[in-house]
Amino acid sequence: LPEPGTLQKPTILKGEYLNKAKIAEGGKKLRKNWNSTWAVLCSNQLLFFKESKQEAVANLKPGGKPDGVDLCGAVIEWTTEKSSRKNVFQITTPNGHEFLLQADHFPTISKWYDAIKKAVDSLPQT
Ligand code: I3P
């Protein structure tokens, strides 16, 4: 999905470790597995890196694709049912990928929720 050069797109928000769990892929449920991820929000993509350093490395390496989610047409919603954790919101993409994002510090996750929501609202729906 994200091509090299992705990081040249305007970065809206970056530089925070969040907890991420992918719970569905293409409509198929996945076993939940929480991981810490370095999140970067670009104009139409939310990118996930293993560590902050990797962001710079992926940007230099040709073909070094970062992991990410295309936010066009995505639905963003807080959920209290999908996890026993607090401060969890879900991103659902039109192609049936589902991610949970979480942080113990509410202001942190709230900032990401607002920024992602705003990014999605400014994008075309398809
Ligand atoms: C899951 C793991 C997750 C938990 C999930 C468990 O067990 O404990 O952390 O999600 O709950 O099934 P396993 O490691 O054996 O797969 P939360 O931390 O978000 O509650 P769930 O099945 O209710 O989603």
Side-chain angles (χ1 to χ4, degrees):
L1 231 143
E3 294 299 328
T6 288
L7 295 179
Q8 268 108 61
K9 283 181 188 159
T11 300
I12 300 168
L13 194 60
K14 67 179 276 182
E16 210 126 36
Y17 282 105
L18 304 177
N19 298 312
K20 177 193 73 158
K22 192 172 190 180
I23 57 167
E25 179 157 304
K28 231 188 112 191
K29 279 206 124 205
L30 297 175
R31 180 168 175 183
K32 190 195 280 164
N33 184 21
W34 286 102
N35 279 299
S36 172
T37 189
W38 180 260
V40 176
L41 176 62
C42 294
S43 49
N44 63 331
Q45 283 173 334
L46 180 63
L47 301 176
F48 302 124
F49 298 90
K50 282 200 186 73
E51 40 186 329
S52 61
K53 251 189 324 194
Q54 196 202 339
E55 183 193 332
V57 173
N59 206 17
L60 291 174
K61 247 198 242 164
K65 283 194 190 181
D67 187 16
V69 51
D70 186 340
L71 294 173
C72 283
V75 175
I76 317 299
E77 57 200 346
W78 291 107
T79 175
T80 53
E81 284 141 35
K82 302 283 176 81
S83 175
S84 61
R85 297 186 178 205
K86 62 175 182 178
N87 307 336
V88 179
F89 71 84
Q90 179 169 340
I91 303 176
T92 307
T93 69
N95 52 358
H97 299 339
E98 297 175 13
F99 297 87
L100 300 180
L101 289 176
Q102 187 267 347
D104 288 339
H105 188 238
F106 180 72
T108 295
I109 199 68
S110 183
K111 187 175 72 181
W112 283 86
Y113 174 89
D114 291 345
I116 293 168
K117 192 105 180 156
K118 203 169 151 193
V120 168
D121 289 346
S122 72
L123 292 168
Q125 285 307 292
T126 47

